[in-house]
Amino acid sequence: MKKTITSFKLQNFKVCHYLRFILILVPLLSNSELLAQDEDKYTYRIKKTKEAIKLDGDLNEIAWQNAQEAKDFFLVRPFDTSFASLQTVVRMTFDDNFLYVGAVCFEPRKLYTMQSLRRDFDGGTSDIVTINIDTFKDRVNGFHFAINPFNVQREGLISMGEDLSNVWDNKWYSQVKNYDDRWVVEVAIPFKTLRYKIAEGENSWHINFGRNVMQTNEVSVWKPVPRNFRPHNLAFAGNLIWDENPPKAGTNIALIPYISGGYAQDFPRKAEDLSKLPSTNTFTGAVGMDAKVAVTPSLNLDLTINPDFSQVEVDRQVTNLSRFELFFPERRQFFIENSDLFSTFGFPDTRPFFSRRIGITRNPNTGLNQQVPILAGARLSGKLNDNWRVGFLNMQTRKVKLGDNEFLPNANYTVATLQRKVFERSFIGGIFANKENFLGGLSETQRAGYRQFNRVAGLEFNYYSKDNRGEAETYYHQSFYPNAPKDAASLAQYVGYHHPNIDLNFALQRIGKNYVADIGFVPRRGIVQTFRPMSLILNPKNEKTAKYINSFGINFEGNDVFDIAGLYDAPLRGLVEKTIGGKRLDSETSLSLFLNTPAGGEAYMGHNWVFTHLFFPFEPTNSGDSPNPDLQNAAELPIGDYKWRFWSVGFETSQRNDWSGSLDFNYGGYFTGRGSFTEGSVSYRWQPYGTISLDLAYTRFNFDKPLNSVRFLLLGPRAELSFSRSVFFSTFFQYNTQTNNVNINSRLQWRYKPVSDFFLVYTDNYFAEAIPRYGVSAWMPKNRALILKMTYWLNI
């Protein structure tokens, strides 16, 4: 194979001149045509009620009759040029304890579509009415509440303008009454649930309401939002003016104790030859508590003692062909609320703080991550006023004894952040992240491989234009640790322009070869990389065509990675190659055509060009990580340059039908071999009881000997069922031949009181395939566990 090398002195690149140019350019890209609308038209004046509101879905109190109407909802999708055919009328009022929202949602009963009776359903799966509230008027952070025609609730937090997380859990109340041509919802949100400040004089918030009607493909909002943005985007929210100031929230303390017990059975085997070791049976039990304390109406303190995350859903497995660490999202409730204050610093592939590092420690003797128990923790997060946000997190883990003379030390994790709002909806932020290992009392041998501390400090500037079309991010992070050499920093610049017909993005990032973030996510170091995605989006003008095609266009995506260090340092391999700095390491470019339908379906076809320089020998199928000892010494590709191409095609059907699915197929080269990667899913909605689905990933690559040719199969049947609005059952089966593992995870949840739950969780792991040479048969057990847990939400 002919090798091409692009080399230049990127380590001498003067980033400051580029940053100055970008910061001047971005505001010029902003477009404010949508913001010239009459503000009075989208201003809601809320009046206080003097009579009690009975939550029954009737809206027959005098307060509702006297309340202003928010009506004439405008479409976001499939088109943003007309009013919705199925309209919504919203009214609001409040008293000393609750913010009330009443909505009349016009929709024939026969059109009702919903995923299940389970709370916190996925977006785009159910008919809903939504309430999006920005209490601090920064147009970046807010609260999201959604209800479907069967009175199933979903609540979430909005960050970064339109990023929505529905893992947040809190108390609020609703009732729905159904009619042949409409459904009426009545909502009571406790002021204690919200975070806000009371200003002197007139008080105002930002607010918007939305509707999603699946069968007619209509997504609509009260204050118009362009269709290239999500309907809950806070940049386009209207005004909420208080006739009287909202009440002071008062004392708000919630204690959430838990008790759990379980049984675990383990069938261990030696790593070298898979020979059996004695099985173990363990009974476990634990008690602990979480607490939520409203320090002020806008500042919340979360405390946890001996936390337990046994009810958290397992990660979805993926076929791993990467040379670098994969990212899996945080699922633990304690780390979710206001998580954007901690987890969004940096770029997605370079975070100074990644909360999943807490409770896991890398064992320097094996190079593997091992779980360690968390003793206690505290998190303070929220607003100091309209302009300042603050976050502080501190967690302590326990020392773990592994053997006669081997320990995982106890450690303390601290993260502090501060954000200052600038301009209309932009902010400057700072972060300090620290991991401190307590090595006292350990011998020199036991301390080997552990840093006493690792710290990262950084500053960021995030710019969002008023109309959300212009966007930019600039950051600089510096790491500190004992005997840290030079080049221990990371810096980057991103700029984006988002127009309904064109989407342009460019980013440049530099990660020093000695930049270390022990509680962050940094899979690569010693590089400069660029990102350059862009899209051209067209909309058919012909009415007949528009019935079938909502939009179509061209996507051009790519990224390039260059060496700046002149040295390649692979974990656990040591220094394996020395070259001139500026060498191209990786490059991927894709060109694709796409088409979207009014019903929400989409299809694409593309071609991809890939270049990779291997700076250490690599087994391209990752068979070396297999538990089968026969595969652990697989042949590897040598150091060098590799180029290949492949085709990709895929589609996704509309979610409005009972049956839905998706398919992605890639075929072509892969390093020196050829093959295909197929990924698909099919789902059946059994309304209103739940969904049954099947995920599939099949990988086939052929290589000349002595390299391994592989066939990997990953199957993931899944069922999520709801027997009522308070009893839910889910089971997830994952059959993975790459890791030779079968995992079963089942969970029964009973919400016996608001935000109070009983969980019964069963998990089981088996060998997926037989390894006759070592006496392993298919479906031979590895381990299993049964856990019971009960939580109770107690307001004080």
Side-chain angles (χ1 to χ4, degrees):
M1 179 183 293
K2 183 180 178 180
K3 301 179 182 178
T4 60
I5 300 176
T6 304
S7 299
F8 51 89
K9 297 292 185 178
L10 279 174
Q11 62 268 41
N12 294 324
F13 184 78
K14 301 298 184 182
V15 178
C16 58
H17 297 297
Y18 172 74
L19 301 186
R20 186 185 309 161
F21 169 75
I22 292 298
L23 293 177
I24 294 173
L25 174 65
V26 170
L28 298 178
L29 296 176
S30 173
N31 188 308
S32 59
E33 62 188 61
L34 287 170
L35 303 177
Q37 302 174 71
D38 184 3
E39 286 297 316
D40 286 340
K41 183 177 180 181
Y42 298 106
T43 294
Y44 193 99
R45 299 184 180 276
I46 185 170
K47 298 179 181 179
K48 188 174 183 178
T49 177
K50 292 182 171 55
E51 64 175 327
I53 299 293
K54 182 181 178 182
L55 212 63
D56 53 13
D58 271 335
L59 305 185
N60 54 8
E61 287 85 359
I62 296 177
W64 291 124
Q65 311 309 316
N66 294 334
Q68 179 183 336
E69 292 183 345
K71 57 184 181 180
D72 298 329
F73 277 42
F74 208 76
L75 285 177
V76 180
R77 300 189 188 100
F79 311 104
D80 58 0
T81 55
S82 62
F83 290 100
S85 63
L86 294 175
Q87 274 295 326
T88 310
V89 179
V90 178
R91 298 179 177 91
M92 300 182 70
T93 186
F94 73 100
D95 59 23
D96 290 333
N97 298 305
F98 295 96
L99 172 66
Y100 297 101
V101 181
V104 180
C105 306
F106 291 95
E107 176 183 5
R109 191 192 298 260
K110 64 182 180 180
L111 295 183
Y112 289 176
T113 304
M114 58 180 294
Q115 187 179 43
S116 72
L117 297 172
R118 190 176 187 276
R119 283 178 59 92
D120 298 330
F121 46 88
D122 296 330
T125 61
S126 301
D127 294 346
I128 55 172
V129 60
T130 64
I131 308 159
N132 303 298
I133 307 173
D134 172 13
T135 59
F136 287 94
K137 300 183 295 183
D138 60 10
R139 298 192 181 274
V140 176
N141 303 283
F143 300 91
H144 170 88
F145 301 91
I147 314 97
N148 71 20
F150 289 81
N151 197 30
V152 181
Q153 299 177 342
R154 181 183 76 198
E155 67 267 22
L157 296 175
I158 302 172
S159 62
M160 312 304 286
E162 65 175 21
D163 291 346
L164 176 61
S165 169
N166 63 0
V167 184
W168 179 59
D169 224 359
N170 225 307
K171 281 187 177 182
W172 57 293
Y173 309 94
S174 63
Q175 288 294 332
V176 172
K177 185 162 283 190
N178 303 98
Y179 300 89
D180 289 340
D181 65 339
R182 68 194 185 280
W183 52 283
V184 182
V185 59
E186 198 168 16
V187 174
I189 303 172
F191 282 105
K192 290 183 178 182
T193 295
L194 302 172
R195 309 280 182 265
Y196 60 92
K197 278 279 189 180
I198 300 176
E200 295 182 4
E202 185 180 72
N203 276 262
S204 63
W205 296 354
H206 289 148
I207 196 164
N208 209 354
F209 311 103
R211 278 284 304 284
N212 185 11
V213 184
M214 299 286 291
Q215 294 301 318
T216 60
N217 310 317
E218 288 192 352
V219 177
S220 60
V221 290
W222 172 52
K223 174 102 183 280
V225 176
R227 65 176 170 181
N228 57 313
F229 299 115
R230 296 175 184 173
H232 52 263
N233 191 300
L234 296 175
F236 306 96
N239 298 314
L240 177 65
I241 307 296
W242 295 83
D243 181 53
E244 297 181 27
N245 286 344
K248 293 182 178 180
T251 303
N252 184 12
I253 300 175
L255 302 180
I256 314 166
Y258 82 85
I259 182 171
S260 69
Y263 169 75
Q265 192 175 22
D266 196 21
F267 305 90
R269 292 175 176 272
K270 290 184 179 179
E272 312 83 56
D273 58 9
L274 296 183
S275 59
K276 287 185 178 180
L277 294 171
S279 62
T280 60
N281 300 283
T282 307
F283 290 92
T284 60
V287 294
M289 185 175 68
D290 291 349
K292 291 180 175 291
V293 181
V295 180
T296 71
S298 60
L299 195 62
N300 201 63
L301 175 65
D302 291 274
L303 304 171
T304 185
I305 300 173
N306 193 32
D308 176 86
F309 305 110
S310 55
Q311 82 279 11
V312 175
E313 184 181 275
V314 296
D315 289 320
R316 295 193 177 212
Q317 298 179 24
V318 296
T319 301
N320 181 14
L321 301 175
S322 174
R323 292 170 289 154
F324 308 102
E325 180 184 11
L326 299 180
F327 181 89
F328 290 93
E330 177 63 81
R331 298 180 182 274
R332 296 172 295 180
Q333 177 74 28
F334 182 83
F335 298 101
I336 298 298
E337 185 174 356
N338 283 327
S339 61
D340 66 291
L341 263 172
F342 303 95
S343 60
T344 58
F345 282 84
F347 276 12
D349 66 338
T350 312
R351 300 292 192 195
F353 173 66
F354 179 38
S355 59
R356 287 186 64 137
R357 299 291 188 217
I358 299 176
I360 292 178
T361 293
R362 181 178 176 273
N363 186 334
N365 298 315
T366 64
L368 301 176
N369 291 325
Q370 294 186 234
Q371 189 170 341
V372 293
I374 299 174
L375 291 172
R379 184 191 62 202
L380 180 72
S381 58
K383 287 267 194 175
L384 298 177
N385 54 40
D386 285 354
N387 293 320
W388 289 95
R389 291 180 80 204
V390 64
F392 179 81
L393 174 73
N394 187 269
M395 307 290 289
Q396 180 67 43
T397 60
R398 181 185 294 130
K399 181 179 179 182
V400 176
K401 184 176 182 180
L402 300 177
D404 293 338
N405 198 35
E406 186 179 359
F407 295 89
L408 298 177
N410 53 337
N412 182 266
Y413 302 79
T414 301
V415 184
T417 67
L418 188 66
Q419 284 185 357
R420 175 64 163 87
K421 178 184 173 183
V422 295
F423 307 129
E424 180 74 16
R425 51 190 303 267
S426 306
F427 55 87
I428 297 173
I431 185 170
F432 174 77
N434 177 62
K435 180 182 180 182
E436 193 89 18
N437 288 311
F438 296 96
L439 305 177
L442 298 182
S443 67
E444 199 65 34
T445 302
Q446 293 168 339
R447 296 159 61 104
Y450 293 105
R451 297 184 185 91
Q452 182 177 350
F453 66 86
N454 173 255
R455 295 163 187 152
V456 175
L459 290 174
E460 298 202 2
F461 171 62
N462 287 264
Y463 172 81
Y464 299 94
S465 67
K466 291 178 67 174
D467 60 4
N468 212 61
R469 289 190 178 183
E471 181 182 358
E473 178 183 355
T474 306
Y475 82 75
Y476 178 87
H477 299 155
Q478 179 74 44
S479 64
F480 308 88
Y481 49 92
N483 304 314
K486 295 180 179 180
D487 201 14
S490 173
L491 68 158
Q493 175 64 52
Y494 160 77
V495 60
Y497 177 64
H498 314 298
H499 183 274
N501 298 114
I502 188 168
D503 197 89
L504 302 174
N505 303 271
F506 182 78
L508 177 66
Q509 181 182 40
R510 186 187 191 280
I511 307 170
K513 76 166 185 174
N514 298 310
Y515 176 70
V516 177
D518 282 348
I519 57 173
F521 181 78
V522 189
R524 300 190 73 169
R525 297 181 294 171
I527 59 171
V528 160
Q529 54 184 339
T530 66
F531 306 91
R532 39 186 170 80
M534 58 189 71
S535 300
L536 175 65
I537 307 158
L538 303 174
N539 306 111
K541 302 299 182 182
N542 183 282
E543 290 187 8
K544 291 183 179 181
T545 304
K547 290 182 179 180
Y548 305 99
I549 300 176
N550 184 36
S551 64
F552 62 96
I554 301 174
N555 276 332
F556 180 80
E557 298 187 27
N559 67 281
D560 307 281
V561 182
F562 300 91
D563 166 49
I564 58 170
L567 302 173
Y568 298 110
D569 187 11
L572 303 182
R573 294 172 180 265
L575 186 64
V576 294
E577 185 181 8
K578 184 173 182 178
T579 67
I580 301 172
K583 180 178 178 60
R584 184 168 62 141
L585 303 181
D586 291 280
S587 182
E588 183 167 355
T589 300
S590 67
L591 181 65
S592 61
L593 305 175
F594 68 87
L595 180 150
N596 296 312
T597 70
E602 64 176 276
Y604 73 91
M605 180 177 66
H607 194 66
N608 305 267
W609 295 264
V610 183
F611 168 86
T612 289
H613 175 82
L614 291 181
F615 49 86
F616 58 82
F618 174 62
E619 199 285 298
T621 66
N622 273 342
S623 300
D625 294 329
S626 169
N628 186 346
D630 285 340
L631 299 178
Q632 290 173 1
N633 296 315
E636 298 178 318
L637 291 170
I639 293 171
D641 293 347
Y642 297 86
K643 292 190 296 183
W644 66 92
R645 298 183 297 170
F646 65 93
W647 288 91
S648 58
V649 62
F651 69 87
E652 182 176 356
T653 66
S654 169
Q655 294 284 324
R656 70 175 182 173
N657 302 315
D658 289 340
W659 286 96
S660 61
S662 64
L663 180 68
D664 296 280
F665 178 73
N666 300 276
Y667 178 79
Y670 180 63
F671 286 96
T672 60
R674 292 189 67 80
S676 64
F677 176 74
T678 305
E679 189 173 30
S681 67
V682 61
S683 177
Y684 175 71
R685 181 178 59 236
W686 183 22
Q687 184 172 311
Y689 303 106
T691 58
I692 300 171
S693 61
L694 173 66
D695 297 330
L696 177 146
Y698 180 67
T699 305
R700 178 183 62 85
F701 287 120
N702 295 319
F703 292 92
D704 293 334
K705 291 295 184 181
L707 294 171
N708 282 337
S709 293
V710 296
R711 307 287 188 274
F712 291 146
L713 177 64
L714 175 56
L715 281 175
R718 182 187 188 95
E720 294 191 3
L721 304 175
S722 51
F723 304 106
S724 69
R725 285 194 292 267
S726 59
V727 180
F728 321 111
F729 174 75
S730 65
T731 187
F732 194 15
F733 175 94
Q734 298 185 92
Y735 178 92
N736 190 336
T737 60
Q738 184 183 34
T739 60
N740 200 356
N741 190 72
V742 177
N743 172 257
I744 301 172
N745 183 262
S746 300
R747 183 178 68 168
L748 178 68
Q749 178 184 359
W750 173 34
R751 176 150 288 191
Y752 60 92
K753 290 190 66 177
V755 208
S756 301
D757 298 284
F758 174 84
F759 296 97
L760 177 63
V761 182
Y762 177 75
T763 185
D764 211 341
N765 288 281
Y766 302 88
F767 284 95
E769 296 181 323
I771 312 176
R773 179 179 174 183
Y774 300 102
V776 174
S777 59
W779 294 91
M780 187 170 282
K782 295 180 180 181
N783 53 66
R784 58 175 63 104
L786 181 68
I787 298 169
L788 292 92
K789 180 180 178 181
M790 186 174 73
T791 67
Y792 183 78
W793 184 295
L794 177 64
N795 281 107
I796 297 178

